[in-house]
Amino acid sequence: MNPGQAQTLESLFGPPSELIDIGKFVGCALNQDQARDEGERDNVAHEIEDECSVDGIRESLFNVWNNPLLAAHLGKGHDKAVSNFHVSANLTKRTRKAEKSVSSTFSSGVEELQQSLDAVELKAFRLNTDSILFMRTSKNSDYNVLEKKGPVKTSDGAKGSQDVIITLSVYDKVAWAASYVKRSSQMSFCSSQTLEDVYRSIPCLTKEMPSGYDPSTSGCLLYLEGKVYQNEEQDGYSGKLFSHLDSLSKRRPNIIERSNANLHDSTFHSLNIRLREPYWMVHSGNCEHFVVFDQIRLAHIADPLSGYPFFLQVPPALLDLCRGCTKVPAYWSIVGDIRLGESPCVLCDFCWKSMGDSEEENVKVIPVTKPRAPAS
Ligand SMILES: [Zn+2]
Ligand SMILES: [Zn+2]
């Protein structure tokens, strides 16, 4: 990893937590939970419910948001404030004039609402110029294609009574910036599952190669807290990694070692990890991902008993556009057709059919592999 990439990763993740021995941590948390009797657990649950309850403000909030006039006033006011911050911070080089603050010709309901908002004394209630540091437009990876159908189960992994729930995110490199990564999915596992389960459930295009190449035979390497984990039968990746490290420096400090356990034997219980620390994974030759542990928590009564890992978030797929019309997503990848000027060339079905048959021999027409959302 080059210094630029390390810096970008630091700005996207972290700060990492202290090292957590998941096995010990789970044992301790379960003991504390079981030491409480039923009644005490109920009391704690009610206390949390009371503390987190928004009943006190629910009605007044809904009264405002259900009134189109008031909701529009708040929305417009917020948009204008944000736009003015951008102009005053000179973030955009365009010479836009700051929009005037909200018009003074309010209808009576709106004026009343504005007066009550102006009367709020809490300083943090209003946006101030420092807020600009924390504002950005939404990215593709902020959206979730699973929003409507909720968490999606991927296999039949069952939750044991001693299991806790582990949430992790997978980040992929992007093609247009060497040192940038984007989140490609977020999943929840139970702690008796293994690193092999993590590798198997990561959605990745190289697992769907149409050419008959079987990626499951290529193995996988995961680097986690100074240890290298890999598939049982494959020694290729770690062998290459260590010979590369040896070639970099004869006096390589002995900080990276092979784990005694392979991916298949390494349950989450057996790991020492830090939350929010990106861990490097490579498979299918040169396909890289970063795995980040987001959360470790006790199981809740509402958690499903089986179906782990669950997909919690998958951003919408970015599809290649047809090179012919540049309007619709490409459906075919054409290899070796001299008329197209590039090979492979991706085209939509309509553009490919309207070109007619090729006179070339050995032209291959392959359906484009599309990133798919996990099926339910
Ligand atoms: Zn991959
Ligand atoms: Zn087209």
PDB file of all heavy atoms in Angstrom, residues 170-190:
ATOM      1  N   VAL A 170     -17.750  -4.188   3.720  1.00  0.00           N
ATOM      2  CA  VAL A 170     -16.722  -4.513   2.738  1.00  0.00           C
ATOM      3  C   VAL A 170     -16.551  -3.301   1.828  1.00  0.00           C
ATOM      4  O   VAL A 170     -17.538  -2.719   1.362  1.00  0.00           O
ATOM      5  CB  VAL A 170     -17.143  -5.735   1.901  1.00  0.00           C
ATOM      6  CG1 VAL A 170     -16.068  -6.077   0.884  1.00  0.00           C
ATOM      7  CG2 VAL A 170     -17.407  -6.915   2.801  1.00  0.00           C
ATOM      8  N   TYR A 171     -15.310  -2.908   1.634  1.00  0.00           N
ATOM      9  CA  TYR A 171     -15.008  -1.771   0.762  1.00  0.00           C
ATOM     10  C   TYR A 171     -14.205  -2.267  -0.436  1.00  0.00           C
ATOM     11  O   TYR A 171     -13.347  -3.140  -0.290  1.00  0.00           O
ATOM     12  CB  TYR A 171     -14.194  -0.718   1.514  1.00  0.00           C
ATOM     13  CG  TYR A 171     -14.995   0.000   2.578  1.00  0.00           C
ATOM     14  CD1 TYR A 171     -15.274  -0.611   3.794  1.00  0.00           C
ATOM     15  CD2 TYR A 171     -15.495   1.276   2.359  1.00  0.00           C
ATOM     16  CE1 TYR A 171     -16.017   0.030   4.774  1.00  0.00           C
ATOM     17  CE2 TYR A 171     -16.239   1.929   3.325  1.00  0.00           C
ATOM     18  CZ  TYR A 171     -16.499   1.299   4.530  1.00  0.00           C
ATOM     19  OH  TYR A 171     -17.250   1.938   5.485  1.00  0.00           O
ATOM     20  N   ASP A 172     -14.492  -1.702  -1.608  1.00  0.00           N
ATOM     21  CA  ASP A 172     -13.774  -2.077  -2.833  1.00  0.00           C
ATOM     22  C   ASP A 172     -13.020  -0.870  -3.368  1.00  0.00           C
ATOM     23  O   ASP A 172     -13.436   0.264  -3.158  1.00  0.00           O
ATOM     24  CB  ASP A 172     -14.766  -2.525  -3.925  1.00  0.00           C
ATOM     25  CG  ASP A 172     -15.505  -3.786  -3.529  1.00  0.00           C
ATOM     26  OD1 ASP A 172     -15.172  -4.363  -2.483  1.00  0.00           O
ATOM     27  OD2 ASP A 172     -16.424  -4.171  -4.274  1.00  0.00           O
ATOM     28  N   LYS A 173     -11.942  -1.150  -4.085  1.00  0.00           N
ATOM     29  CA  LYS A 173     -11.244  -0.062  -4.770  1.00  0.00           C
ATOM     30  C   LYS A 173     -12.111   0.418  -5.933  1.00  0.00           C
ATOM     31  O   LYS A 173     -12.880  -0.361  -6.487  1.00  0.00           O
ATOM     32  CB  LYS A 173      -9.923  -0.569  -5.313  1.00  0.00           C
ATOM     33  CG  LYS A 173      -8.896  -0.808  -4.242  1.00  0.00           C
ATOM     34  CD  LYS A 173      -7.599  -1.223  -4.862  1.00  0.00           C
ATOM     35  CE  LYS A 173      -6.459  -0.992  -3.905  1.00  0.00           C
ATOM     36  NZ  LYS A 173      -5.171  -1.212  -4.533  1.00  0.00           N
ATOM     37  N   VAL A 174     -11.954   1.682  -6.306  1.00  0.00           N
ATOM     38  CA  VAL A 174     -12.711   2.172  -7.461  1.00  0.00           C
ATOM     39  C   VAL A 174     -11.759   2.339  -8.640  1.00  0.00           C
ATOM     40  O   VAL A 174     -10.571   2.583  -8.456  1.00  0.00           O
ATOM     41  CB  VAL A 174     -13.426   3.510  -7.158  1.00  0.00           C
ATOM     42  CG1 VAL A 174     -14.485   3.325  -6.096  1.00  0.00           C
ATOM     43  CG2 VAL A 174     -12.433   4.574  -6.726  1.00  0.00           C
ATOM     44  N   ALA A 175     -12.320   2.221  -9.839  1.00  0.00           N
ATOM     45  CA  ALA A 175     -11.469   2.220 -11.030  1.00  0.00           C
ATOM     46  C   ALA A 175     -10.886   3.603 -11.317  1.00  0.00           C
ATOM     47  O   ALA A 175      -9.831   3.731 -11.898  1.00  0.00           O
ATOM     48  CB  ALA A 175     -12.278   1.739 -12.230  1.00  0.00           C
ATOM     49  N   TRP A 176     -11.603   4.659 -10.880  1.00  0.00           N
ATOM     50  CA  TRP A 176     -11.205   6.008 -11.316  1.00  0.00           C
ATOM     51  C   TRP A 176     -10.269   6.716 -10.329  1.00  0.00           C
ATOM     52  O   TRP A 176      -9.825   7.824 -10.599  1.00  0.00           O
ATOM     53  CB  TRP A 176     -12.438   6.867 -11.580  1.00  0.00           C
ATOM     54  CG  TRP A 176     -13.354   6.989 -10.398  1.00  0.00           C
ATOM     55  CD1 TRP A 176     -13.289   7.911  -9.398  1.00  0.00           C
ATOM     56  CD2 TRP A 176     -14.466   6.155 -10.087  1.00  0.00           C
ATOM     57  NE1 TRP A 176     -14.287   7.700  -8.479  1.00  0.00           N
ATOM     58  CE2 TRP A 176     -15.024   6.633  -8.875  1.00  0.00           C
ATOM     59  CE3 TRP A 176     -15.046   5.041 -10.700  1.00  0.00           C
ATOM     60  CZ2 TRP A 176     -16.127   6.036  -8.286  1.00  0.00           C
ATOM     61  CZ3 TRP A 176     -16.150   4.456 -10.098  1.00  0.00           C
ATOM     62  CH2 TRP A 176     -16.663   4.952  -8.917  1.00  0.00           C
ATOM     63  N   ALA A 177      -9.984   6.127  -9.189  1.00  0.00           N
ATOM     64  CA  ALA A 177      -9.042   6.771  -8.265  1.00  0.00           C
ATOM     65  C   ALA A 177      -8.295   5.687  -7.501  1.00  0.00           C
ATOM     66  O   ALA A 177      -8.898   4.930  -6.737  1.00  0.00           O
ATOM     67  CB  ALA A 177      -9.787   7.688  -7.305  1.00  0.00           C
ATOM     68  N   ALA A 178      -6.971   5.635  -7.722  1.00  0.00           N
ATOM     69  CA  ALA A 178      -6.187   4.519  -7.192  1.00  0.00           C
ATOM     70  C   ALA A 178      -6.213   4.438  -5.671  1.00  0.00           C
ATOM     71  O   ALA A 178      -6.122   3.362  -5.099  1.00  0.00           O
ATOM     72  CB  ALA A 178      -4.750   4.650  -7.672  1.00  0.00           C
ATOM     73  N   SER A 179      -6.356   5.594  -5.007  1.00  0.00           N
ATOM     74  CA  SER A 179      -6.246   5.540  -3.554  1.00  0.00           C
ATOM     75  C   SER A 179      -7.601   5.674  -2.858  1.00  0.00           C
ATOM     76  O   SER A 179      -7.663   5.986  -1.689  1.00  0.00           O
ATOM     77  CB  SER A 179      -5.314   6.654  -3.080  1.00  0.00           C
ATOM     78  OG  SER A 179      -5.861   7.890  -3.452  1.00  0.00           O
ATOM     79  N   TYR A 180      -8.682   5.451  -3.598  1.00  0.00           N
ATOM     80  CA  TYR A 180     -10.003   5.640  -3.002  1.00  0.00           C
ATOM     81  C   TYR A 180     -10.765   4.315  -2.948  1.00  0.00           C
ATOM     82  O   TYR A 180     -10.590   3.465  -3.818  1.00  0.00           O
ATOM     83  CB  TYR A 180     -10.800   6.670  -3.815  1.00  0.00           C
ATOM     84  CG  TYR A 180     -11.938   7.254  -3.045  1.00  0.00           C
ATOM     85  CD1 TYR A 180     -11.721   8.213  -2.057  1.00  0.00           C
ATOM     86  CD2 TYR A 180     -13.239   6.816  -3.268  1.00  0.00           C
ATOM     87  CE1 TYR A 180     -12.765   8.724  -1.318  1.00  0.00           C
ATOM     88  CE2 TYR A 180     -14.298   7.330  -2.536  1.00  0.00           C
ATOM     89  CZ  TYR A 180     -14.046   8.289  -1.562  1.00  0.00           C
ATOM     90  OH  TYR A 180     -15.086   8.784  -0.827  1.00  0.00           O
ATOM     91  N   VAL A 181     -11.575   4.150  -1.926  1.00  0.00           N
ATOM     92  CA  VAL A 181     -12.392   2.934  -1.846  1.00  0.00           C
ATOM     93  C   VAL A 181     -13.846   3.315  -1.590  1.00  0.00           C
ATOM     94  O   VAL A 181     -14.120   4.407  -1.097  1.00  0.00           O
ATOM     95  CB  VAL A 181     -11.926   1.995  -0.711  1.00  0.00           C
ATOM     96  CG1 VAL A 181     -10.569   1.410  -1.000  1.00  0.00           C
ATOM     97  CG2 VAL A 181     -11.931   2.702   0.625  1.00  0.00           C
ATOM     98  N   LYS A 182     -14.769   2.435  -1.947  1.00  0.00           N
ATOM     99  CA  LYS A 182     -16.191   2.698  -1.670  1.00  0.00           C
ATOM    100  C   LYS A 182     -16.807   1.457  -1.030  1.00  0.00           C
ATOM    101  O   LYS A 182     -16.368   0.337  -1.295  1.00  0.00           O
ATOM    102  CB  LYS A 182     -16.938   3.075  -2.950  1.00  0.00           C
ATOM    103  CG  LYS A 182     -17.029   1.926  -3.935  1.00  0.00           C
ATOM    104  CD  LYS A 182     -17.939   2.291  -5.086  1.00  0.00           C
ATOM    105  CE  LYS A 182     -17.939   1.245  -6.172  1.00  0.00           C
ATOM    106  NZ  LYS A 182     -18.222  -0.120  -5.823  1.00  0.00           N
ATOM    107  N   ARG A 183     -17.816   1.708  -0.195  1.00  0.00           N
ATOM    108  CA  ARG A 183     -18.446   0.566   0.467  1.00  0.00           C
ATOM    109  C   ARG A 183     -19.277  -0.221  -0.535  1.00  0.00           C
ATOM    110  O   ARG A 183     -20.091   0.350  -1.265  1.00  0.00           O
ATOM    111  CB  ARG A 183     -19.335   1.055   1.606  1.00  0.00           C
ATOM    112  CG  ARG A 183     -19.980  -0.112   2.339  1.00  0.00           C
ATOM    113  CD  ARG A 183     -20.393   0.248   3.724  1.00  0.00           C
ATOM    114  NE  ARG A 183     -21.597   1.055   3.714  1.00  0.00           N
ATOM    115  CZ  ARG A 183     -22.228   1.445   4.814  1.00  0.00           C
ATOM    116  NH1 ARG A 183     -21.759   1.115   5.991  1.00  0.00           N
ATOM    117  NH2 ARG A 183     -23.295   2.185   4.734  1.00  0.00           N
ATOM    118  N   SER A 184     -19.082  -1.546  -0.584  1.00  0.00           N
ATOM    119  CA  SER A 184     -19.845  -2.342  -1.544  1.00  0.00           C
ATOM    120  C   SER A 184     -20.927  -3.165  -0.859  1.00  0.00           C
ATOM    121  O   SER A 184     -21.858  -3.627  -1.511  1.00  0.00           O
ATOM    122  CB  SER A 184     -18.932  -3.264  -2.339  1.00  0.00           C
ATOM    123  OG  SER A 184     -18.317  -4.184  -1.484  1.00  0.00           O
ATOM    124  N   SER A 185     -20.823  -3.376   0.448  1.00  0.00           N
ATOM    125  CA  SER A 185     -21.899  -4.078   1.148  1.00  0.00           C
ATOM    126  C   SER A 185     -21.660  -4.017   2.653  1.00  0.00           C
ATOM    127  O   SER A 185     -20.552  -3.753   3.103  1.00  0.00           O
ATOM    128  CB  SER A 185     -21.986  -5.541   0.711  1.00  0.00           C
ATOM    129  OG  SER A 185     -20.786  -6.198   1.006  1.00  0.00           O
ATOM    130  N   GLN A 186     -22.730  -4.249   3.397  1.00  0.00           N
ATOM    131  CA  GLN A 186     -22.608  -4.399   4.847  1.00  0.00           C
ATOM    132  C   GLN A 186     -23.392  -5.639   5.245  1.00  0.00           C
ATOM    133  O   GLN A 186     -24.494  -5.859   4.747  1.00  0.00           O
ATOM    134  CB  GLN A 186     -23.166  -3.163   5.560  1.00  0.00           C
ATOM    135  CG  GLN A 186     -22.891  -3.184   7.052  1.00  0.00           C
ATOM    136  CD  GLN A 186     -23.485  -1.992   7.768  1.00  0.00           C
ATOM    137  OE1 GLN A 186     -24.639  -1.633   7.534  1.00  0.00           O
ATOM    138  NE2 GLN A 186     -22.719  -1.367   8.635  1.00  0.00           N
ATOM    139  N   MET A 187     -22.801  -6.480   6.101  1.00  0.00           N
ATOM    140  CA  MET A 187     -23.428  -7.758   6.453  1.00  0.00           C
ATOM    141  C   MET A 187     -23.375  -7.989   7.953  1.00  0.00           C
ATOM    142  O   MET A 187     -22.497  -7.457   8.631  1.00  0.00           O
ATOM    143  CB  MET A 187     -22.678  -8.902   5.774  1.00  0.00           C
ATOM    144  CG  MET A 187     -22.896  -8.977   4.286  1.00  0.00           C
ATOM    145  SD  MET A 187     -21.839 -10.248   3.570  1.00  0.00           S
ATOM    146  CE  MET A 187     -20.388  -9.335   3.256  1.00  0.00           C
ATOM    147  N   SER A 188     -24.305  -8.817   8.450  1.00  0.00           N
ATOM    148  CA  SER A 188     -24.213  -9.218   9.852  1.00  0.00           C
ATOM    149  C   SER A 188     -24.013 -10.730   9.931  1.00  0.00           C
ATOM    150  O   SER A 188     -24.691 -11.495   9.241  1.00  0.00           O
ATOM    151  CB  SER A 188     -25.454  -8.785  10.621  1.00  0.00           C
ATOM    152  OG  SER A 188     -26.583  -9.441  10.132  1.00  0.00           O
ATOM    153  N   PHE A 189     -23.063 -11.140  10.752  1.00  0.00           N
ATOM    154  CA  PHE A 189     -22.723 -12.552  10.949  1.00  0.00           C
ATOM    155  C   PHE A 189     -23.013 -12.929  12.387  1.00  0.00           C
ATOM    156  O   PHE A 189     -23.114 -12.062  13.251  1.00  0.00           O
ATOM    157  CB  PHE A 189     -21.219 -12.765  10.711  1.00  0.00           C
ATOM    158  CG  PHE A 189     -20.812 -12.627   9.272  1.00  0.00           C
ATOM    159  CD1 PHE A 189     -20.609 -11.369   8.714  1.00  0.00           C
ATOM    160  CD2 PHE A 189     -20.624 -13.740   8.473  1.00  0.00           C
ATOM    161  CE1 PHE A 189     -20.239 -11.225   7.386  1.00  0.00           C
ATOM    162  CE2 PHE A 189     -20.249 -13.598   7.141  1.00  0.00           C
ATOM    163  CZ  PHE A 189     -20.053 -12.353   6.602  1.00  0.00           C
ATOM    164  N   CYS A 190     -23.125 -14.244  12.668  1.00  0.00           N
ATOM    165  CA  CYS A 190     -23.071 -14.626  14.073  1.00  0.00           C
ATOM    166  C   CYS A 190     -21.646 -15.086  14.370  1.00  0.00           C
ATOM    167  O   CYS A 190     -20.919 -15.538  13.485  1.00  0.00           O
ATOM    168  CB  CYS A 190     -24.129 -15.619  14.489  1.00  0.00           C
ATOM    169  SG  CYS A 190     -24.592 -16.838  13.330  1.00  0.00           S
TER     170      CYS A 190
END
